[in-house]
Amino acid sequence: MDGTNLPETATITLDVNGVDHEITVDTRSSLLDVLREHLDLIGAKKGCDHGQCGACTVLVDGRRINACLQLAVALHGSSITTVEGLADGDGLHPIQRAFIEHDAFQCGYCTPGQLCSAVGVLAEAAAGWPSVVTQDLSATPALDGDEIRERMSGNLCRCGAYVNIVAAIGEVAE
Amino acid sequence: MTVTPTRAVGTDFDRVEAAEKVTGTARYAYEHAPDRDTVYAVPVQSVIARGEVVNVDTDGALTLPGVIAAVWHGNAPRLGPADDPELALFQSRRVAYRGQLVAGVIAETLETAREAARRLRVEYAQEPHDVVLRVDHPKMYKPSKVNPAYPTDTEYGDPDAALEKAAVTVDLTYSTPAEHNNPMEPHATVAVWENDGLVVYDSNQGSSAVRDTLAGLFGLPPDAVRVIAPHVGGGFGSKGTPRPGVVLAALAAKVTGRAVKVTMTRQQMFALVGYRTPIIQRVRLGADEDGTLRAIVHDAFEQTSTVQEFAEQTTTPTRIMYAAPNRRTTHRLAPLDVPTPSWMRAPGECPGMFALESAMDELAIACGVDPIELRIRNEPETDPESGLPFSSRNLVACLREGAARFGWADRDPAPGVRREGRRLVGTGVAAATYPAYRLPSRATARAEPDGGFTVRIAAADIGTGARTALTQIAADALRTAPERVRVEVGDSALPTASLAGGSSGTASWGTAVVRACEALLRELDRYGGRRPQEAAADTTAEVEAAERLSRHAFGAQFAEVGVDVDTGEVRVSRLLGVFGVGRVINPKTARSQFIGGMTMGLGMALMEEGVMDVEFGDYLNHDFAQYHIPACADVPDIEVHWVDEVDDRLNPMGSKGIGEIGIVGTAAAVANAVHHATGVRVRDLPIRLDRLVG
Amino acid sequence: MRPFVYERAEEARSAVAAVADRPDAMYLGGGTNLVDLMRLGVAEPARLVDVSRLPYDTVGVRPDGALRIGAAVRNSDLAAHPAVRRAHPLLAQALLAGASGQVRNMATVGGNLLQRTRCAYFQDITKPCNKRNPGSGCPAREGDHRNLAIIGHSEACVATHPSDMAVALAALDAVVHLEGRDGPRTLPLTELYRLPGDDPRRDTVLDPADLITEVTVPALSFGGRSHYRKVRDRASFAFAVVSVAAALDVAGGVVRDCRIAFGAIAPVPWRARRAEEALRGAPATEDAFAAAARAELGQARPLRDNAFKVPLARNLLVRTLTELVVA
């Protein structure tokens, strides 16, 4: 075919966990692959590579997204928080402590995504966002069990740690 | 120095690696990059279900900048013999199923490797395929044994005559679809050849077994292969045996002289890492008016591939569950042009008990006996087929404890009569069981100069909490605090250990750890406490010398469901499991494992189904958007308890395995609850709204 | 994935110019479907023009109560907007029923409208599909079609449209604003989509260079009495088996007006005009609702394994309307 054999590249800047990176990426690279394969930030996981499991969840400019569906090149100038950036130095984030306390993981592979998603859920609830199980759309929803379960449904866990995940998030939400 | 005796076993402990897992620093297989330029291999799958690879045109791939090599049958190095023909990668032109690996492409970057794989042109000679399981399939045969080494069939008394004479009989056919393990971490390997030896970072359920397999394939002595797997993102049986990906990684690393990373995509996993075979089961029960069983007949029909026989032991739980003088269990297999099925969480018990425990519910209704009472009435005193005593058996205690906690006493057995708004509500019960296996393993224990201890064993922690449980077991055996004990697992360089499979890990590895620790204490005693000291144990003789007994865990599962009268949607509102599993090592992580098994059972009941694409011969719905596993919103607050069970004829810990029993019986409890709610008996899983919308 | 050139568009005209006359160029919004399809090899653009940062990222309310929704507004922001929650609850519910929180944070309104079917054959480039590869055949007709169309499909294609949001917008008489080769124009949302007929390749009437810039939703006096209900195989994070968007205006026990659309039963968001016609002036009773459902679903031609969708859609409509009467 034409000149499409050569990878197209672009140089972008990303703030990842408070550190500025200037990197040249293949335009095809997902944010997830850039984090894992180029920056050695292996916290975000690849479980499906199609936005169907949530293991790759990170926060971009404070909002939770699927890093596998996000082309890195389209994020030029963005700030990213991965699971590695949740803790404040040696002090774990309250959601990390709650996950340990409630044994909210087994194999741990979905855990970074669950944690980042939970941080996103807490922020979304604080902003008054409804969910599909919110009965009164005009009110500010409280994060009860049903709300947490619905809002966390983008993060699959095959070990079946949901019961403990919901308890952990519920404790932090209080 | 006085050491305060502790009792770590039986106490809640956080996972040893918890901090690593919540901070994202726990490194899984694909995340290891040996300190050299690592390259990427991408597997290429067959798009025919049966035939031969005629040629692979690699030109289009190799001209892409950054592509290093393309490997297929035409140019791949010859491998040594493999026990599992699935691992004879690129050794033959034959294609035995759609999705089988026919080539691999290696490139400098992941993006380029994927694109190159897409540009590979594979020419096939296609033959007609046969992928539909049916009871009357002409190739249906009787395997010589079922997994792992059970008799294929058993028969006692005259079951046919007893069925003929029985006052009440049920004759029912159930089916369960293909189900896919789908651990969250896809199977992945990083391989590198160093000094004529092979090092692989690999996602597996047992590094010793992977080492031995790779050594055989590549003609190396076992100690020239090292398999490292510190963290494994779940397996559920699919990582219990080596898979083609690990061979591709080692092969590609050999061909290129580079460190090579390989991962399955989620889609590829549906063909390449095993799955639970679809099964058609016929259950016939004959009973007196009061429900006392006179005959049990349980027949299973399954598929396997043409590559490798896998015979699921589907009806084996029926051999130990209920008393009846006349009984028969059978297994038949049809070899089809399909991917090779394999272990998936509680192979045998899980699908087998769906059928048996659904049938028991139907018998209870036919006899007008409460389903719990029916099970208690048929409780055997000894193993009903082998005649051996049970080491312990607390099914009745579990049923009674569960009934009390669940509020079973007030249950009206009439189906289809409880309405809550636009939902019909019902409850169901089912029994659970799983064998208490124990396998030989080795371990070492070392008293370090700083006063701590190191215990080494090539066990695998795939999320079970094995590392934590072994720390507790070692601490008690060493009469020290768990904080003083460091347990190393997940590396074939450690003392050889059995697989994380068959719920046997804690029993097998724990025995070896206890024996090594006991030996170390003797050494310390002998040398006046002088450190360092080290001692080793090998439990082969101990395991082989164990008394012949029937050793099984039991449990009772309770479910409450609501069924939308308009849409047929089923949602589980309550699950309760009560188990008799010997001594529980770590209540905190044990509870999680039971809940996890029950959650997977909920998925089996309501949503999981690999859909065979008959025209093309593969599992069509090969991703998480189409193959549904439970999401957070599907799972209610699950309650788990266990009964006090002291069994000193198992192992030094008195423990039975808990990794699998949680999934056993859940689907039957849910199906029985759906019947109680609606009056509709669904005998073919999953129970989707199609059957219930009216 | 084929290598591609990436460019970030600064304004709509230049974006259209960048795509026009380049058959291998595509717009990139949130990427939640396009990146997925590129990784599957279904979409193979050589150039992506990123329109997600164009200044169409706000939701406004016009004096007449109509909503103006920028095409680059993220699904989650639209669902959380107070005006949507207050005046068009069915739209908020449809958005919130879609995908996951993460995907909703990424997906744009324009991209949501243009997402492709999730038919398994369309998504697998190793198999035939008339939508992906015209003339290659439709294996779904004889193969797996449990969750495919019962209405509006053709011999060539039985796929369904996957969007939830578009179902609500179809019910609400939304209008799509476009920037194209010849400048701006508008199109009713229900005319954006086309039935497959014998050319299932194109889901919409749009030219490849047409860029959705905005969606407007006219005020609906009874929009507050509306609901979107999605039936699915698991409790969340799943595409619909059948869904319904409905708004109802009842006075004195009689239906004065209504808006109804179905999702997941057709190749397009299915505006149920026959049902609406049957209901206007009818008593607000379950019998009348069932009659309206029959009027619409009488056209259904289910396939071997999806006939259950007919009673499911009927029950769902009756239930939703009945609850709206009570509400």
Side-chain angles (χ1 to χ4, degrees), chain B residues 55-413:
Chain B
N55 189 36
V56 176
D57 177 358
T58 58
D59 291 352
L62 291 173
T63 53
L64 284 181
V67 175
I68 299 165
V71 192
W72 66 288
H73 174 254
N75 63 8
R78 295 304 101 183
L79 297 173
D83 291 342
D84 178 356
E86 287 272 7
L87 302 179
L89 202 63
F90 314 142
Q91 302 299 294
S92 153
R93 292 180 177 277
R94 287 300 302 171
V95 172
Y97 58 91
R98 198 176 206 268
Q100 192 170 17
L101 292 194
V102 293
V105 178
I106 304 125
E108 299 284 350
T109 70
L110 179 57
E111 291 78 12
T112 298
R114 278 197 297 228
E115 174 63 3
R118 204 165 69 89
R119 293 196 187 191
L120 218 60
R121 291 287 161 261
V122 184
E123 188 188 332
Y124 300 96
Q126 189 170 1
E127 300 163 16
H129 61 252
D130 175 8
V131 294
V132 180
L133 172 67
R134 49 180 216 270
V135 168
D136 60 352
H137 195 286
K139 288 189 181 160
M140 196 64 74
Y141 75 101
K142 178 183 171 184
S144 61
K145 61 180 172 57
V146 295
N147 177 61
Y150 288 107
T152 304
D153 297 352
T154 60
E155 182 163 339
Y156 297 84
D158 187 344
D160 296 313
L163 281 171
E164 193 76 27
K165 282 192 298 197
V168 182
T169 57
V170 293
D171 179 353
L172 303 157
T173 299
Y174 301 89
S175 72
T176 51
E179 293 158 3
H180 300 266
N181 310 55
N182 274 315
M184 291 310 298
E185 182 205 18
H187 298 57
T189 308
V190 181
V192 60
W193 290 80
E194 286 176 347
N195 310 321
D196 295 331
L198 174 62
V199 178
V200 300
Y201 300 85
D202 182 58
S203 182
N204 63 62
Q205 293 178 217
S207 52
S208 302
V210 176
R211 171 199 61 197
D212 293 346
T213 302
L214 289 174
L217 284 168
F218 289 93
L220 298 167
D223 62 5
V225 179
R226 183 163 174 205
V227 179
I228 303 169
H231 298 291
V232 178
F236 312 109
S238 72
K239 295 173 182 169
T241 56
R243 295 290 161 187
V246 68
V247 184
L248 175 59
L251 202 67
K254 193 176 179 71
V255 168
T256 61
R258 306 279 292 270
V260 176
K261 300 174 97 169
V262 172
T263 182
M264 296 290 136
T265 64
R266 180 61 54 184
Q267 289 87 341
Q268 288 166 340
M269 289 168 68
F270 282 75
L272 291 169
V273 304
Y275 60 97
R276 196 193 301 286
T277 174
I279 309 166
I280 301 161
Q281 300 179 62
R282 184 180 181 195
V283 181
R284 282 168 282 178
L285 303 175
D288 297 339
E289 301 275 5
D290 69 353
T292 303
L293 283 166
R294 309 306 306 172
I296 306 174
V297 178
H298 190 170
D299 306 305
F301 302 87
E302 317 164 2
Q303 73 188 30
T304 186
S305 73
T306 63
V307 179
Q308 163 92 322
E309 178 185 283
F310 179 78
E312 222 234 28
Q313 68 273 39
T314 310
T315 70
T316 55
T318 301
R319 296 173 184 171
I320 59 112
M321 279 307 294
Y322 301 113
N326 305 288
R327 46 203 308 139
R328 181 166 66 232
T329 61
T330 71
H331 299 87
R332 297 295 179 268
L333 284 186
L336 304 176
D337 304 315
V338 295
T340 310
S342 185
W343 302 326
M344 177 167 163
R345 204 172 200 169
E349 280 72 20
C350 175
M353 288 291 276
F354 164 68
L356 179 64
E357 292 300 292
S358 293
M360 285 296 279
D361 200 63
E362 301 205 48
L363 180 66
I365 292 166
C367 295
V369 176
D370 176 78
I372 291 178
E373 181 53 36
L374 178 73
R375 288 170 172 90
I376 293 171
R377 204 162 282 177
N378 290 290
E379 177 72 0
E381 289 196 2
T382 57
D383 186 312
E385 298 207 354
S386 70
L388 292 169
F390 288 104
S391 67
S392 57
R393 176 174 167 125
N394 279 298
L395 173 59
V396 172
C398 292
L399 287 164
R400 291 205 163 119
E401 172 84 11
R405 289 182 177 273
F406 197 73
W408 189 263
D410 306 328
R411 182 181 187 260
D412 172 2

Side-chain angles (χ1 to χ4, degrees), chain B residues 47 98 111 114-115 118-119 267 422 564-569 571 606-607 611-631 633-634 688-690 693-694, chain C residues 1-3 38-41 44 118-121 123-128 139 142-144 146 229-239 241 286 305 308-309 311-312 314-316 319 323:
Chain B
V47 301
R98 198 176 206 268
E111 291 78 12
R114 278 197 297 228
E115 174 63 3
R118 204 165 69 89
R119 293 196 187 191
Q267 289 87 341
R422 301 295 293 175
D564 190 300
V565 296
D566 299 302
T567 66
E569 290 163 291
R571 300 288 183 252
L606 297 185
M607 60 191 82
V611 176
M612 174 51 68
D613 185 349
V614 177
E615 181 175 356
F616 298 98
D618 60 351
Y619 286 104
L620 180 70
N621 53 337
H622 56 193
D623 62 31
F624 275 144
Q626 301 176 89
Y627 182 93
H628 288 148
I629 66 170
D634 291 288
R688 280 194 301 234
L689 55 91
D690 317 24
V693 67
Chain C
M1 197 183 290
R2 168 185 184 186
M38 288 165 67
R39 200 164 286 138
L40 292 170
E44 296 185 83
R118 295 319 197 276
C119 173
Y121 298 98
Q123 295 185 96
D124 185 345
I125 60 167
T126 70
K127 295 178 181 176
E142 295 302 318
D144 183 65
R146 170 183 175 266
R229 171 76 159 87
K230 178 177 182 178
V231 174
R232 36 187 163 178
D233 285 325
R234 70 177 168 194
S236 186
F237 201 18
F239 290 96
V241 176
E286 283 196 32
D305 292 329
F308 74 94
K309 282 192 173 190
L312 177 57
R314 179 198 64 213
N315 292 356
L316 193 60
R319 160 88 161 269
E323 288 178 353

Side-chain angles (χ1 to χ4, degrees), chain C residues 78-129:
Chain C
L78 182 58
H81 196 279
V84 177
R85 289 156 71 175
R86 187 177 59 246
H88 303 287
L90 81 175
L91 177 56
Q93 288 158 347
L95 285 155
L96 294 168
S100 66
Q102 293 94 313
V103 171
R104 293 193 293 271
N105 277 341
M106 302 176 76
T108 62
V109 167
N112 185 320
L113 291 176
L114 298 182
Q115 64 181 305
R116 311 299 306 273
T117 183
R118 295 319 197 276
C119 173
Y121 298 98
F122 174 74
Q123 295 185 96
D124 185 345
I125 60 167
T126 70
K127 295 178 181 176
C129 168

